[in-house]
Amino acid sequence: MSDKMKKTGWEHFPHQADIGIRGLGSTKEQAFERAAMALTAVVADLDKVEPRKKTKINCQAVDDELLLFDWLNSLLYEMDTRKMLFSRFEVRIDRDNLTAIAWGQKIDVSKHQPAVEVKAATYQDLSVRQDESGTWIAQCVVDV
């Protein structure tokens, strides 16, 4: 586990031309929240995104992997249509339903200096699981 992962609970991992994102947590919800943080961090410095305005997001899927996939793509949709970046997340999962609040702010190109545009979360390396220590891991590769 990298020092960054120990400190933040999320990291990027290399994957050919795309970028892998991974969130870790003591709960599945926390792992989803941290995967969302990793998603934002692909685009901009997470520390520069202020949690000013909240957005509600709801997803439903038949399993945890598809729920993660839908969650991340719903975030990307909100980022694109609202022209926002998000830095704080509160996720609740009840079986196949995810309800969340994402806090963020409008993109300010001079402040946030967006590096790349994430087009979509993909099924590549899509996984939601608990490791032997009980830590939840939520990951996938995003298309940039």
Side-chain angles (χ1 to χ4, degrees), residues 4-75:
K4 181 174 190 89
M5 176 66 92
K6 289 176 190 173
K7 182 179 175 193
T8 64
W10 64 267
E11 69 180 356
H12 297 144
F13 60 91
H15 184 273
Q16 298 167 345
D18 295 321
I19 298 173
I21 60 170
R22 181 178 294 130
L24 271 72
S26 57
T27 64
K28 186 182 343 177
E29 290 85 353
Q30 189 177 54
F32 275 53
E33 292 165 359
R34 290 178 174 171
M37 293 169 75
L39 177 66
T40 298
V42 170
V43 179
D45 182 346
L46 198 58
D47 293 333
K48 292 183 179 178
V49 181
E50 297 175 36
R52 292 184 184 168
K53 185 176 179 190
K54 71 180 181 177
T55 300
K56 294 181 181 181
I57 298 171
N58 297 299
C59 305
Q60 189 172 30
V62 297
D63 62 31
D64 289 342
E65 283 79 17
L66 291 177
L67 199 57
L68 176 64
F69 176 83
D70 286 350
W71 161 236
L72 296 174
N73 281 312
S74 293
L75 275 173

Side-chain angles (χ1 to χ4, degrees), residues 7-144:
K7 182 179 175 193
T8 64
W10 64 267
E11 69 180 356
H12 297 144
F13 60 91
H15 184 273
Q16 298 167 345
D18 295 321
I19 298 173
I21 60 170
R22 181 178 294 130
L24 271 72
S26 57
T27 64
K28 186 182 343 177
E29 290 85 353
Q30 189 177 54
F32 275 53
E33 292 165 359
R34 290 178 174 171
M37 293 169 75
L39 177 66
T40 298
V42 170
V43 179
D45 182 346
L46 198 58
D47 293 333
K48 292 183 179 178
V49 181
E50 297 175 36
R52 292 184 184 168
K53 185 176 179 190
K54 71 180 181 177
T55 300
K56 294 181 181 181
I57 298 171
N58 297 299
C59 305
Q60 189 172 30
V62 297
D63 62 31
D64 289 342
E65 283 79 17
L66 291 177
L67 199 57
L68 176 64
F69 176 83
D70 286 350
W71 161 236
L72 296 174
N73 281 312
S74 293
L75 275 173
L76 288 169
Y77 173 81
E78 296 297 334
M79 290 166 72
D80 186 49
T81 59
R82 295 176 187 269
K83 307 298 182 218
M84 290 181 70
L85 292 171
F86 299 101
S87 61
R88 184 175 155 225
F89 306 92
E90 183 178 301
V91 172
R92 299 277 183 259
I93 298 173
D94 182 19
R95 289 187 213 128
D96 59 354
N97 292 302
L98 178 148
T99 56
I101 301 174
W103 287 267
Q105 69 178 129
K106 291 279 188 189
I107 295 173
D108 177 340
V109 174
S110 63
K111 176 181 178 179
H112 298 125
Q113 301 176 345
V116 298
E117 179 183 350
V118 177
K119 297 175 193 132
T122 71
Y123 294 117
Q124 187 94 28
D125 289 328
L126 179 62
S127 174
V128 177
R129 66 187 188 286
Q130 239 179 330
D131 70 11
E132 61 282 345
S133 72
T135 299
W136 281 92
I137 303 162
Q139 71 174 40
C140 75
V141 170
V142 294
D143 182 17
V144 293

